[in-house]
Amino acid sequence: KQEVTQIPAALSVPEGENLVLNCSFTDSAIYNLQWFRQDPGKGLTSLLLIQSSQREQTSGRLNASLDKSSGRSTLYIAASQPGDSATYLCAGENTSGTYKYIFGTGTRLKVLA
Amino acid sequence: GAGVSQSPSNKVTEKGKDVELRCDPISGHTALYWYRQSLGQGLEFLIYFQGNSAPDKSGLPSDRFSAERTGGSVSTLTIQRTQQEDSAVYLCASSSGSETQYFGPGTRLLVL
């Protein structure tokens, strides 16, 4: 059974720092991978989608990469801002076309002004 | 157009009662998903609808849970004879097949 671990579980950093969030899958056969952001009391917002043929995606200050050989993904946030404070979730799809994603428990990020 | 909407936003019920949760997906999205997020837990897949195909119900935790999607649009998740362990946030998402899922704000269910 696929399990997803996110490290660290919580992170507090001063504004301006670059930071890395980690995600690992027990089954490295990941087809698609997404990173989401969840604000308190809100639903999830998709940040980046790495499709099966890709290894990396970038959007603004965010960069996500996926190492399929190890089943690990990282989300890099450059020049963090207080508005980045949220919970970040990674999710992987094991089987092509099912769109059934297995989610990690998230990293709670707080960026201090 | 508008994003995914869910109702009610909050629901408090007594143990043993039935509840219905509603999801309005983004217009035109063929795929619809239900997830459950319990306190301190990751999202747990419940059920997936894709077009007119039979739904994937593999994530439903018990036969007290059921869902339907009428006319390929609105979906209702029904929990019968609710138990305290059913307390969670129930999230709905939809997608157009581009694989990016768009989530609603969720329904917070509390079973007393």
Side-chain angles (χ1 to χ4, degrees):
Chain A
K1 178 184 174 183
Q2 177 72 278
E3 293 183 358
V4 186
T5 302
Q6 289 191 243
I7 295 173
L11 182 62
S12 183
V13 300
E15 181 176 8
E17 275 205 7
N18 302 323
L19 51 99
V20 176
L21 308 182
N22 297 289
C23 173
S24 62
F25 297 81
T26 53
D27 181 349
S28 62
I30 302 300
Y31 188 70
N32 292 321
L33 182 135
Q34 288 196 60
W35 280 92
F36 293 87
R37 167 186 174 139
Q38 186 175 29
D39 292 280
K42 304 281 183 67
L44 279 66
T45 301
S46 180
L47 298 172
L48 292 165
L49 166 66
I50 302 177
Q51 295 182 310
S52 59
S53 59
Q54 300 170 331
R55 295 295 178 267
E56 188 175 9
Q57 278 291 330
T58 297
S59 176
R61 295 181 293 105
L62 305 180
N63 173 273
S65 63
L66 173 61
D67 180 349
K68 291 197 172 187
S69 64
S70 65
R72 295 177 185 273
S73 178
T74 60
L75 177 67
Y76 177 82
I77 303 176
S80 58
Q81 302 172 356
D84 295 331
S85 298
T87 295
Y88 290 80
L89 298 161
C90 68
E93 179 192 9
N94 268 136
T95 306
S96 170
T98 64
Y99 308 128
K100 286 170 59 175
Y101 282 85
I102 309 298
F103 284 77
T105 53
T107 293
R108 295 184 307 281
L109 172 65
K110 186 170 185 178
V111 181
L112 305 171
Chain B
V4 178
S5 61
Q6 293 186 244
S7 61
S9 55
N10 293 281
K11 177 71 176 179
V12 181
T13 191
E14 294 179 348
K15 177 181 173 180
K17 296 287 181 98
D18 297 352
V19 295
E20 284 190 354
L21 313 180
R22 177 186 169 108
C23 172
D24 283 86
I26 292 174
S27 178
H29 279 190
T30 57
L32 186 147
Y33 314 77
W34 282 99
Y35 296 90
R36 177 168 70 175
Q37 187 175 34
S38 302
L39 188 64
Q41 304 291 318
L43 266 73
E44 175 187 7
F45 166 81
L46 297 177
I47 188 168
Y48 161 56
F49 296 89
Q50 172 63 341
N52 296 321
S53 302
D56 179 344
K57 305 179 181 180
S58 60
L60 295 178
S62 77
D63 59 8
R64 295 186 295 105
F65 287 72
S66 63
E68 62 178 26
R69 189 178 185 192
T70 54
S73 181
V74 172
S75 177
T76 302
L77 176 68
T78 301
I79 309 174
Q80 296 178 310
R81 305 181 302 282
T82 52
Q83 303 294 312
Q84 289 180 332
E85 60 263 28
D86 299 335
S87 298
V89 177
Y90 289 82
L91 291 162
C92 173
S94 70
S95 72
S96 64
S98 65
E99 299 149 345
T100 297
Q101 297 183 21
Y102 296 86
F103 281 77
T107 292
R108 285 151 195 79
L109 175 65
L110 177 61
V111 182
L112 301 176

